[in-house]
Amino acid sequence: MNNIKKEITEALKDQQAIFGDMLYQEISLELQPKKSKSLAVQLDSDKVEEPKSEKLFNEDFEEADSLESLNSMICECQMCSLGKTRTKFVFGVGNPNADAMLIGEAPGADEDQKGEPFVGRAGKLLNDILKAINFAREEVYIANILKCRPPGNRDPQPGEMETCMPYLMKQINLIKPKVILCLGRIAANGLLGKKLTLAALRENVYDINGVKVVATYHPAALLRNPNWKRGCWEDVKKFRKIYDELTA
Ligand code: URA
Protein backbone atom coordinates (compact mmCIF):
# COMPACT_ATOMS: atom_id res chain seq x y z
CA MET A 1 0.00 0.00 0.00
CA ASN A 2 2.83 2.34 0.97
CA ASN A 3 4.55 1.50 -2.30
CA ILE A 4 1.46 2.44 -4.34
CA LYS A 5 1.12 5.71 -2.41
CA LYS A 6 4.80 6.43 -3.05
CA GLU A 7 4.44 5.71 -6.79
CA ILE A 8 1.38 7.95 -7.08
CA THR A 9 3.15 10.74 -5.20
CA GLU A 10 6.18 10.41 -7.48
CA ALA A 11 3.97 10.45 -10.61
CA LEU A 12 2.11 13.52 -9.37
CA LYS A 13 5.40 15.26 -8.60
CA ASP A 14 6.60 14.54 -12.15
CA GLN A 15 3.35 16.00 -13.54
CA GLN A 16 3.70 19.01 -11.27
CA ALA A 17 7.21 19.60 -12.57
CA ILE A 18 5.86 19.72 -16.14
CA PHE A 19 2.40 21.28 -15.78
CA GLY A 20 2.55 23.13 -12.44
CA ASP A 21 -0.29 22.86 -9.93
CA MET A 22 -2.98 22.05 -12.52
CA LEU A 23 -3.92 18.40 -13.03
CA TYR A 24 -4.32 17.34 -16.68
CA GLN A 25 -5.96 14.31 -18.29
CA GLU A 26 -5.56 12.98 -21.84
CA ILE A 27 -8.88 12.60 -23.65
CA SER A 28 -9.88 11.98 -27.27
CA LEU A 29 -11.90 14.68 -29.06
CA GLU A 30 -13.85 13.88 -32.29
CA LEU A 31 -13.40 16.84 -34.64
CA GLN A 32 -13.96 15.12 -37.95
CA PRO A 33 -15.47 11.76 -38.76
CA LYS A 34 -12.98 8.93 -38.39
CA LYS A 35 -10.21 11.32 -37.29
CA SER A 36 -9.51 12.02 -33.65
CA LYS A 37 -7.24 14.47 -31.94
CA SER A 38 -5.65 14.11 -28.58
CA LEU A 39 -6.18 17.02 -26.25
CA ALA A 40 -5.08 17.74 -22.73
CA VAL A 41 -7.92 19.33 -20.76
CA GLN A 42 -7.72 20.80 -17.31
CA LEU A 43 -9.26 18.83 -14.52
CA ASP A 44 -11.32 20.94 -12.13
CA SER A 45 -11.21 18.75 -8.95
CA ASP A 46 -13.30 15.70 -9.95
CA LYS A 47 -15.44 17.53 -12.58
CA VAL A 48 -14.20 16.95 -16.20
CA GLU A 49 -15.14 19.74 -18.57
CA GLU A 50 -16.70 18.15 -21.70
CA PRO A 51 -14.96 19.36 -24.87
CA LYS A 52 -17.31 21.00 -27.38
CA SER A 53 -17.39 18.75 -30.46
CA GLU A 54 -17.99 20.92 -33.54
CA LYS A 55 -19.58 19.02 -36.44
CA LEU A 56 -17.99 20.25 -39.67
CA PHE A 57 -20.47 18.47 -41.93
CA ASN A 58 -23.16 15.84 -41.84
CA GLU A 59 -21.47 12.58 -42.78
CA ASP A 60 -24.86 11.02 -43.60
CA PHE A 61 -25.48 13.31 -46.59
CA GLU A 62 -24.77 10.44 -49.01
CA GLU A 63 -27.96 8.80 -47.68
CA ALA A 64 -30.18 11.77 -48.60
CA ASP A 65 -33.10 10.66 -50.77
CA SER A 66 -34.19 14.08 -52.01
CA LEU A 67 -32.63 17.43 -52.85
CA GLU A 68 -34.52 18.98 -49.95
CA SER A 69 -33.11 16.58 -47.40
CA LEU A 70 -29.62 16.87 -48.93
CA ASN A 71 -29.80 20.66 -48.62
CA SER A 72 -30.89 20.48 -45.00
CA MET A 73 -28.02 18.08 -44.24
CA ILE A 74 -25.25 20.17 -45.81
CA CYS A 75 -26.39 23.80 -45.58
CA GLU A 76 -24.44 24.41 -42.35
CA CYS A 77 -21.23 23.01 -43.86
CA GLN A 78 -17.97 24.24 -42.34
CA MET A 79 -15.63 21.92 -44.21
CA CYS A 80 -13.65 24.81 -45.71
CA SER A 81 -13.00 28.40 -44.71
CA LEU A 82 -15.75 29.71 -47.03
CA GLY A 83 -18.26 28.50 -44.46
CA LYS A 84 -17.15 31.35 -42.22
CA THR A 85 -17.33 34.12 -44.82
CA ARG A 86 -20.51 33.18 -46.72
CA THR A 87 -23.80 35.01 -46.13
CA LYS A 88 -25.95 32.20 -47.55
CA PHE A 89 -25.24 28.66 -48.64
CA VAL A 90 -26.18 28.45 -52.34
CA PHE A 91 -27.45 24.91 -52.85
CA GLY A 92 -29.03 25.10 -56.31
CA VAL A 93 -32.35 25.85 -57.93
CA GLY A 94 -34.77 24.42 -60.46
CA ASN A 95 -36.58 21.30 -61.47
CA PRO A 96 -35.52 18.37 -59.23
CA ASN A 97 -36.29 16.00 -62.13
CA ALA A 98 -34.59 18.06 -64.81
CA ASP A 99 -33.06 16.29 -67.80
CA ALA A 100 -30.85 19.34 -68.37
CA MET A 101 -28.54 20.69 -65.71
CA LEU A 102 -26.29 23.76 -65.74
CA ILE A 103 -23.21 24.02 -63.58
CA GLY A 104 -21.38 27.25 -62.79
CA GLU A 105 -18.31 28.01 -60.77
CA ALA A 106 -19.30 29.56 -57.45
CA PRO A 107 -21.78 32.09 -56.05
CA GLY A 108 -20.99 35.77 -56.53
CA ALA A 109 -22.06 38.67 -54.33
CA ASP A 110 -25.73 38.66 -55.48
CA GLU A 111 -26.02 34.90 -55.12
CA ASP A 112 -24.41 35.01 -51.68
CA GLN A 113 -27.04 37.51 -50.55
CA LYS A 114 -30.00 35.69 -52.10
CA GLY A 115 -28.96 32.06 -51.62
CA GLU A 116 -29.72 31.27 -55.28
CA PRO A 117 -27.30 30.66 -58.18
CA PHE A 118 -27.08 33.01 -61.14
CA VAL A 119 -29.32 35.86 -60.00
CA GLY A 120 -26.99 38.79 -60.86
CA ARG A 121 -26.11 40.24 -64.27
CA ALA A 122 -24.55 36.99 -65.42
CA GLY A 123 -27.72 35.21 -64.29
CA LYS A 124 -29.92 37.48 -66.42
CA LEU A 125 -27.77 36.70 -69.44
CA LEU A 126 -27.98 33.00 -68.59
CA ASN A 127 -31.80 33.22 -68.54
CA ASP A 128 -31.67 34.82 -72.03
CA ILE A 129 -29.35 32.09 -73.30
CA LEU A 130 -31.75 29.45 -71.95
CA LYS A 131 -34.71 31.22 -73.57
CA ALA A 132 -32.85 31.27 -76.90
CA ILE A 133 -32.71 27.47 -76.85
CA ASN A 134 -36.30 27.13 -75.63
CA PHE A 135 -35.68 26.37 -71.98
CA ALA A 136 -37.41 28.18 -69.13
CA ARG A 137 -35.14 28.66 -66.09
CA GLU A 138 -37.58 26.57 -64.00
CA GLU A 139 -37.33 23.66 -66.42
CA VAL A 140 -33.63 23.00 -65.84
CA TYR A 141 -31.55 22.63 -62.66
CA ILE A 142 -28.81 25.15 -61.91
CA ALA A 143 -26.01 24.60 -59.39
CA ASN A 144 -22.39 25.54 -58.85
CA ILE A 145 -19.20 23.62 -58.12
CA LEU A 146 -18.85 25.62 -54.87
CA LYS A 147 -21.84 26.26 -52.63
CA CYS A 148 -20.27 29.26 -50.89
CA ARG A 149 -18.91 32.52 -52.27
CA PRO A 150 -15.13 32.91 -52.43
CA PRO A 151 -14.40 36.35 -50.89
CA GLY A 152 -13.86 39.09 -53.46
CA ASN A 153 -15.04 36.69 -56.20
CA ARG A 154 -11.61 35.12 -56.43
CA ASP A 155 -11.27 31.80 -58.28
CA PRO A 156 -12.20 28.70 -56.27
CA GLN A 157 -9.13 27.01 -54.82
CA PRO A 158 -8.45 23.35 -55.72
CA GLY A 159 -8.96 22.25 -52.10
CA GLU A 160 -12.32 24.03 -51.90
CA MET A 161 -13.46 22.38 -55.13
CA GLU A 162 -12.35 18.96 -53.95
CA THR A 163 -14.16 19.43 -50.64
CA CYS A 164 -17.40 20.65 -52.22
CA MET A 165 -17.51 18.23 -55.17
CA PRO A 166 -19.19 15.32 -53.30
CA TYR A 167 -22.21 17.59 -52.72
CA LEU A 168 -22.52 18.32 -56.44
CA MET A 169 -22.07 14.66 -57.33
CA LYS A 170 -24.83 13.74 -54.90
CA GLN A 171 -27.09 16.40 -56.47
CA ILE A 172 -26.36 14.93 -59.92
CA ASN A 173 -27.14 11.43 -58.61
CA LEU A 174 -30.48 12.60 -57.26
CA ILE A 175 -31.50 14.70 -60.28
CA LYS A 176 -30.22 12.23 -62.87
CA PRO A 177 -29.94 14.72 -65.73
CA LYS A 178 -29.29 13.43 -69.24
CA VAL A 179 -27.05 16.31 -70.22
CA ILE A 180 -25.03 18.92 -68.32
CA LEU A 181 -23.83 22.30 -69.57
CA CYS A 182 -20.72 23.54 -67.76
CA LEU A 183 -20.42 27.30 -67.66
CA GLY A 184 -16.77 28.21 -67.97
CA ARG A 185 -13.40 26.51 -67.78
CA ILE A 186 -13.31 26.18 -64.00
CA ALA A 187 -16.72 24.49 -63.82
CA ALA A 188 -15.91 22.11 -66.68
CA ASN A 189 -12.44 21.16 -65.44
CA GLY A 190 -13.81 20.78 -61.89
CA LEU A 191 -16.61 18.46 -62.92
CA LEU A 192 -14.55 16.45 -65.39
CA GLY A 193 -11.38 16.35 -63.29
CA LYS A 194 -9.34 17.84 -66.15
CA LYS A 195 -6.90 20.70 -66.61
CA LEU A 196 -7.75 21.86 -70.12
CA THR A 197 -8.26 25.22 -71.77
CA LEU A 198 -11.85 26.22 -72.49
CA ALA A 199 -11.07 25.99 -76.21
CA ALA A 200 -10.10 22.33 -75.76
CA LEU A 201 -13.05 21.61 -73.48
CA ARG A 202 -15.51 23.07 -76.02
CA GLU A 203 -14.29 20.71 -78.72
CA ASN A 204 -15.70 17.56 -77.14
CA VAL A 205 -18.82 16.09 -75.62
CA TYR A 206 -17.81 14.28 -72.43
CA ASP A 207 -19.49 11.56 -70.43
CA ILE A 208 -19.55 11.19 -66.66
CA ASN A 209 -21.37 8.12 -65.39
CA GLY A 210 -23.55 8.06 -68.50
CA VAL A 211 -24.38 11.80 -68.37
CA LYS A 212 -23.32 13.86 -71.39
CA VAL A 213 -21.32 17.00 -70.60
CA VAL A 214 -20.87 20.05 -72.82
CA ALA A 215 -18.76 23.10 -71.94
CA THR A 216 -19.24 26.71 -72.95
CA TYR A 217 -18.25 30.23 -71.88
CA HIS A 218 -19.21 31.55 -68.48
CA PRO A 219 -21.95 34.22 -68.88
CA ALA A 220 -19.77 36.71 -66.95
CA ALA A 221 -17.05 36.19 -69.57
CA LEU A 222 -19.63 36.90 -72.29
CA LEU A 223 -20.51 40.17 -70.56
CA ARG A 224 -16.83 41.15 -70.69
CA ASN A 225 -16.29 39.93 -74.25
CA PRO A 226 -19.45 39.83 -76.39
CA ASN A 227 -17.39 38.45 -79.32
CA TRP A 228 -17.57 35.07 -77.58
CA LYS A 229 -21.38 34.99 -77.87
CA ARG A 230 -21.19 33.40 -81.33
CA GLY A 231 -19.15 30.48 -79.97
CA CYS A 232 -21.50 30.16 -77.00
CA TRP A 233 -24.46 30.01 -79.39
CA GLU A 234 -22.86 27.04 -81.19
CA ASP A 235 -22.24 25.29 -77.85
CA VAL A 236 -25.74 25.76 -76.49
CA LYS A 237 -27.31 24.61 -79.76
CA LYS A 238 -25.21 21.43 -79.40
CA PHE A 239 -26.41 21.11 -75.78
CA ARG A 240 -30.05 21.48 -76.87
CA LYS A 241 -29.59 18.95 -79.70
CA ILE A 242 -28.18 16.33 -77.31
CA TYR A 243 -31.06 17.03 -74.92
CA ASP A 244 -33.62 16.60 -77.72
CA GLU A 245 -32.03 13.37 -78.88
CA LEU A 246 -31.87 11.89 -75.39
CA THR A 247 -35.40 12.86 -74.37
CA ALA A 248 -37.21 12.10 -77.67
N1 URA B 1 -21.19 32.82 -61.37
C1 URA B 1 -21.27 31.50 -61.13
O1 URA B 1 -20.42 30.72 -61.58
N2 URA B 1 -22.28 31.06 -60.41
C2 URA B 1 -23.23 31.85 -59.93
O2 URA B 1 -24.13 31.37 -59.28
C3 URA B 1 -23.13 33.22 -60.21
C4 URA B 1 -22.11 33.69 -60.92
Side-chain angles (χ1 to χ4, degrees):
M1 185 66 182
N2 267 351
N3 270 352
I4 293 174
K5 203 172 157 191
K6 207 170 147 208
E7 273 174 34
I8 292 174
T9 310
E10 296 279 303
L12 287 172
K13 273 189 186 155
D14 287 346
Q15 285 230 8
Q16 192 181 33
I18 302 165
F19 299 114
D21 287 338
M22 295 296 182
L23 194 54
Y24 289 84
Q25 185 195 31
E26 278 268 303
I27 64 150
S28 179
L29 169 63
E30 284 277 309
L31 272 183
Q32 286 184 27
K34 297 182 196 81
K35 283 184 199 159
S36 67
K37 267 197 177 173
S38 174
L39 186 82
V41 292
Q42 185 181 328
L43 272 179
D44 172 12
S45 65
D46 58 353
K47 187 178 128 246
V48 181
E49 194 178 312
E50 284 292 322
K52 287 190 193 88
S53 164
E54 191 188 351
K55 255 201 161 173
L56 301 178
F57 81 125
N58 186 333
E59 64 238 60
D60 297 330
F61 80 91
E62 286 287 3
E63 311 302 321
D65 58 3
S66 70
L67 290 175
E68 246 175 31
S69 65
L70 175 63
N71 187 14
S72 68
M73 284 179 180
I74 66 176
C75 65
E76 309 277 344
C77 180
Q78 291 293 338
M79 284 292 282
C80 79
S81 63
L82 302 183
K84 294 206 171 45
T85 52
R86 71 170 172 241
T87 307
K88 286 195 175 159
F89 184 86
V90 182
F91 179 75
V93 72
N95 174 4
N97 303 308
D99 285 324
M101 185 167 176
L102 282 79
I103 297 175
E105 185 179 309
D110 295 314
E111 292 75 20
D112 178 60
Q113 287 297 319
K114 209 162 173 216
E116 184 176 327
F118 286 101
V119 290
R121 274 182 75 219
K124 289 201 175 61
L125 179 56
L126 181 61
N127 292 347
D128 290 343
I129 293 169
L130 285 171
K131 215 184 276 171
I133 49 169
N134 295 318
F135 278 125
R137 183 175 163 99
E138 305 72 48
E139 209 176 336
V140 301
Y141 197 90
I142 307 174
N144 282 309
I145 300 274
L146 294 193
K147 308 296 184 222
C148 303
R149 181 194 181 208
N153 291 352
R154 63 158 171 75
D155 283 353
Q157 290 169 355
E160 293 162 353
M161 291 175 63
E162 202 182 310
T163 303
C164 220
M165 193 56 73
Y167 298 155
L168 180 63
M169 295 313 289
K170 180 66 191 178
Q171 279 176 300
I172 295 172
N173 284 339
L174 286 166
I175 297 164
K176 300 192 174 35
K178 297 214 160 46
V179 56
I180 291 174
L181 180 65
C182 288
L183 303 165
R185 177 182 55 87
I186 292 177
N189 278 330
L191 182 69
L192 298 168
K194 296 193 180 291
K195 284 184 179 165
L196 297 174
T197 61
L198 184 65
L201 289 159
R202 289 179 57 232
E203 272 172 17
N204 288 307
V205 175
Y206 296 89
D207 189 299
I208 47 160
N209 307 329
V211 184
K212 300 288 173 219
V213 180
V214 174
T216 192
Y217 297 92
H218 192 286
L222 298 176
L223 289 171
R224 287 194 300 272
N225 191 342
N227 289 337
W228 289 335
K229 283 188 180 174
R230 181 183 291 272
C232 176
W233 177 235
E234 297 305 323
D235 300 334
V236 297
K237 274 196 299 182
K238 181 165 70 178
F239 169 67
R240 177 75 213 202
K241 189 163 176 275
I242 296 170
Y243 170 89
D244 286 339
E245 284 166 5
L246 295 176
T247 58

